[in-house]
């Protein structure tokens, strides 16, 4: 799925841009990271998808995604210009644990991360969040709604994921630009609040 805003003209940054921020989009295998980045990117997103083979059948959990035929093997990359002077770079990480070493490096320079989760496989979010916490990277969680997936009240999901009270938890449809934007806003507001608290503590 290509971004609705992708065009030759949009491929170039305005000369007024002075600040670039890096955000990771992370989550377990087949949770919708590539779709999420594609729905927000104003340029044609960079993808590193390869056809899935039987070699990964023993390690890749395809529950609920039996029709999936490709998987990200390096990263997804998208761009979103927030103002005349600020641009946001979105880096989608591969979901399989065998690629963990690769996306550990991707945390360098990132302001924060959006963790996509699936209520059918919430337990698979723990290794993802553990890597972020190991690197001290703040994150918000967005439950990506899939057809047929069970829906739970926010307190139940928060308890199941053992989230801190201040960690944002939202729902989204990674296919929908507006829904994806709301999830991104929740993360950015959280990062801004953390920065404000940090500045006040220093003073």
């Amino acid at each position: 799925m290509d971004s609705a805003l992708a065009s030759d003209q949009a491929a170039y940054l305005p000369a007024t841009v002075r600040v670039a921020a890096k955000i990771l989009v992370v989550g377990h295998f087949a949770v919708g990271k590539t779709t999420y980045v594609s729905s927000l990117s104003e340029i044609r997103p960079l993808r590193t998808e390869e056809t899935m083979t039987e070699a990964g059948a023993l390690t890749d959990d395809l529950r609920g995604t039996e029709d999936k035929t490709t998987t990200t093997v390096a990263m997804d990359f998208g761009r979103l210009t927030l103002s005349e002077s600020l641009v946001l770079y979105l880096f989608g990480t591969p979901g399989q644990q065998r690629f963990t070493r690769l996306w550990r490096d991707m945390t360098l320079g990132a302001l924060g991360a959006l963790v996509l989760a699936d209520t059918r496989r919430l337990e698979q979010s723990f290794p993802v969040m553990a890597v972020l916490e190991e690197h001290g990277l703040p994150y918000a969680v967005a439950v990506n709604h899939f057809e047929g997936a069970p829906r739970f009240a926010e307190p139940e999901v928060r308890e199941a994921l053992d989230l801190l009270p201040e960690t944002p938890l939202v729902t989204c449809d990674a296919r929908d630009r507006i829904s994806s934007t709301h999830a991104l806003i929740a993360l950015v507001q959280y990062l801004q609040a953390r920065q404000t608290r940090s500045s006040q503590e220093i003073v």
Side-chain angles (χ1 to χ4, degrees), residues 61-194:
D61 186 349
L62 289 174
R63 281 179 294 165
T65 58
E66 289 79 5
D67 294 334
K68 186 173 177 62
T69 59
T70 62
T71 185
T72 300
V73 296
M75 68 173 182
D76 298 306
F77 173 79
R79 192 190 76 201
L80 184 61
T81 302
L82 300 182
S83 70
E84 291 184 353
S85 60
L86 175 63
V87 66
L88 188 67
Y89 291 125
L90 300 172
F91 287 79
T93 64
Q96 296 96 322
Q97 290 193 25
R98 60 182 177 274
F99 294 120
T100 298
R101 178 177 296 182
L102 171 65
W103 73 265
R104 283 177 188 270
D105 295 336
M106 293 173 65
T107 63
L108 298 175
L111 295 182
L114 183 68
V115 180
L116 293 186
D118 181 349
T119 56
R120 297 168 297 182
R121 299 177 288 169
L122 287 177
E123 74 283 354
Q124 294 186 23
S125 296
F126 286 111
V128 175
M129 295 186 295
V131 173
L132 297 176
E133 291 168 1
E134 176 186 341
H135 290 269
L137 198 64
Y139 60 87
V141 177
V143 175
N144 188 16
H145 278 159
F146 292 88
E147 285 188 29
R151 302 202 176 194
F152 303 102
E154 179 180 328
E156 294 179 277
V157 178
R158 185 174 290 279
E159 181 178 0
L161 291 175
D162 194 25
L163 298 180
L164 295 173
E166 63 267 22
T167 301
L169 174 62
V170 298
T171 59
C172 78
D173 181 342
R175 300 166 299 180
D176 182 76
R177 182 178 178 84
I178 295 176
S179 180
S180 296
T181 298
H182 289 162
L184 181 63
I185 289 172
L187 171 62
V188 171
Q189 289 178 335
Y190 175 54
L191 297 177
Q192 290 176 329
R194 283 175 54 92

Side-chain angles (χ1 to χ4, degrees), residues 30-44:
V31 77
K33 300 178 296 295
T34 296
T35 300
Y36 183 89
V37 172
S38 297
S39 72
L40 280 180
S41 182
E42 65 194 13
I43 60 173
R44 187 180 300 276

